[in-house]
Amino acid sequence: MPGEIFVITAPSGTGKTTLLKSLMAADPRLRFSISYTTRSPRPGEVDGRDYFFVSPAEFRRLADTGALAEWVEQFGYGYGTSRQWVQERVDSGADLVFDLDSRGGRALKQEFPQAILIFILPPSLEELERRLHGRGRLDPEELARRLANGRAELQEVSWYDYLVVNDDLPTALADLQAIVRAARCRTAQLWPQLARRFLLENP
Ligand code: ADP
Ligand code: 5GP
């Protein structure tokens, strides 16, 4: 049985990283899709766990040779998904969670139409700005860039499958878990497995 693909998008500062950590910790069937990036690791980030951190030259080589299923340049850095890495894990039945911007979500959905796209919203733009400030570590220019980019990302919500508002953290986490659970109950996902129990030969 092929694995599920969950794509999560949110304006920077919404709380996506916080939510994803809790989601993944509580569900051992989920695996995080590790992207390539040319940005430097933040404190606490580990190469091969949070991202594959590569040089701009290496990133360019990967993009030019078609090794990336999708890639974007944003905030002056390259971000991209390895086609082979994803395909191998989906084929082996892993449920993959992708942290992508909306362009990445759109591109991945084209390549993997079964992908489930989830957009996480902040409760308001004011709260988004507060959270970005609270997270620290960003210089004012990058902060402004991320806020402007986040506003632009909000234009893309209409073609996402699900919206989750991250106001109260436990509620948002429960919403995400409900989406994952519902996805696993889809007929297309379950019936090929269950049909055998009922001795049907052509599910
Ligand atoms: P992102 O990955 O979307 O950029 P983070 O997970 O780094 O966002 O969260 C940004 C900041 O907002 C962090 O300081 C985090 O603790 C805080 N945060 C996340 N979710 C909530 C929430 N529901 N209520 C209040 N603060 C939150
Ligand atoms: P950050 O620098 O905060 O880790 O990530 C910045 C943005 O890049 C986030 O919106 C994140 O979703 C996006 N991103 C991370 N990896 C990828 C990727 O492989 N492809 C695309 N399209 N976006 C990515």
Side-chain angles (χ1 to χ4, degrees), residues 8-12 16-17 33-37 39 42 45 51 70-72 74-75 77 79-82 98-105 135 142 146 149 153:
I8 320 268
T9 301
S12 189
K16 182 174 52 177
T17 309
S33 168
I34 306 162
S35 299
Y36 288 99
T37 184
R39 79 156 166 76
R42 297 194 186 117
E45 284 185 333
Y51 280 105
E70 62 78 34
W71 66 274
V72 293
Q74 66 167 329
F75 316 130
Y77 305 113
Y79 293 89
T81 307
S82 160
F98 290 76
D99 172 349
L100 302 180
D101 77 335
S102 62
R103 287 170 294 172
R135 205 175 61 177
E142 181 151 3
R146 282 180 184 248
N149 190 70
E153 286 281 84

Side-chain angles (χ1 to χ4, degrees), residues 35 43 46 59-60 82 85 90 110-111 115 141 183 195 198 200:
S35 299
V46 175
F59 190 86
R60 171 61 50 200
S82 160
W85 195 96
V90 168
Q110 264 163 15
E111 192 140 339
E141 212 173 281
F198 302 99
L200 296 176

Side-chain angles (χ1 to χ4, degrees), residues 6-26:
F6 298 100
V7 176
I8 320 268
T9 301
S12 189
T14 299
K16 182 174 52 177
T17 309
T18 310
L19 274 168
L20 285 187
K21 284 211 170 106
S22 302
L23 179 73
M24 314 279 307

